[in-house]
Amino acid sequence: MRPFPLLLLMAILALLPSCDPCKNLDCMPSKLNGTFRIVGAGNGTDLLFGPNKIYDKEQLKFYAISGTDTTYFEPRALKTENTGYDSILVVRFSTQPEVAYLQLSNSDVDTIQISYATTNTECCGTISEIVNYRYNNAVDIPGNRGTQEIKK
C-alpha cells in the first residue's frame, strides 16, 4: 500500500470529530419575557406610572402557584423614550407557568393564562416563546407582539 493514501485516510479520520455542525452556532434564547402596561379600560390612561397612577408599583406582584410552591416573578420598570408613555413592566416567566397571577393590590388579583410555542433543536436544545396570554379567562392577548395592555 502506498503511504500517501494511508496518510490521507488518517488525516480525514483525525478531522472528522472536529466537523461539529453545532460548534460555531449562536443559539437563540427562549423568549420568556412579557412586557405590560396597566391602563384604564375607558381611556387608556396609565394606571401604574405617571401623573394618573392609581396602583403602587411597589405592591405589584406577578406569581405562579404549583402545588404548595409559589414562584414570584420580579417585574422591572423599563423607561421608554419616544413612545407616548412613561414606562412598561418587563416580567420574565422563567419557569414557564401555564397560569400566573397579577396582584395589583390586596383586593385586586387577576389571572393570566400563558401559552408557549416550543421548538426542539438538534444543536440548541429546547427553545420556548410566549405566544399568547389569556387575561381573566376572557381576553386573548398575542404574547409575541410587543407591549401588552392590561385594561382595568
Side-chain angles (χ1 to χ4, degrees):
M1 188 168 178
R2 293 186 173 157
F4 180 73
L6 181 60
L7 286 173
L8 182 61
L9 180 63
M10 288 175 56
I12 291 172
L13 289 175
L15 292 176
L16 278 178
S18 67
C19 295
D20 181 2
C22 301
K23 182 178 178 182
N24 294 320
L25 183 66
D26 289 332
C27 295
M28 289 180 45
S30 290
K31 295 178 183 175
L32 302 176
N33 287 347
T35 55
F36 303 97
R37 290 185 63 226
I38 315 298
V39 299
N43 58 10
T45 302
D46 194 323
L47 302 178
L48 191 61
F49 300 104
N52 299 316
K53 66 181 179 180
I54 62 170
Y55 296 111
D56 181 358
K57 67 182 177 208
E58 301 303 320
Q59 291 186 2
L60 176 119
K61 294 177 184 148
F62 283 89
Y63 62 94
I65 299 172
S66 178
T68 59
D69 295 326
T70 303
T71 303
Y72 289 92
F73 305 102
E74 183 82 29
R76 292 181 299 124
L78 180 65
K79 191 121 176 105
T80 54
E81 303 293 330
N82 303 320
T83 59
Y85 45 88
D86 186 20
S87 297
I88 59 172
L89 288 174
V90 178
V91 182
R92 181 161 181 79
F93 295 104
S94 55
T95 61
Q96 298 184 32
E98 291 181 12
V99 177
Y101 300 94
L102 165 60
Q103 181 175 338
L104 293 164
S105 67
N106 288 335
S107 60
D108 191 350
V109 179
D110 297 311
T111 303
I112 302 173
Q113 293 170 300
I114 307 171
S115 301
Y116 303 88
T118 301
T119 304
N120 294 316
T121 67
E122 180 181 333
C123 295
C124 299
T126 302
I127 299 172
S128 299
E129 175 183 19
I130 295 173
V131 293
N132 194 64
Y133 301 100
R134 189 165 183 81
Y135 177 66
N136 285 338
N137 297 318
V139 180
D140 280 324
I141 306 171
N144 54 0
R145 295 198 186 141
T147 303
Q148 312 307 316
E149 290 189 345
I150 294 178
K151 297 180 180 180
K152 299 296 289 176

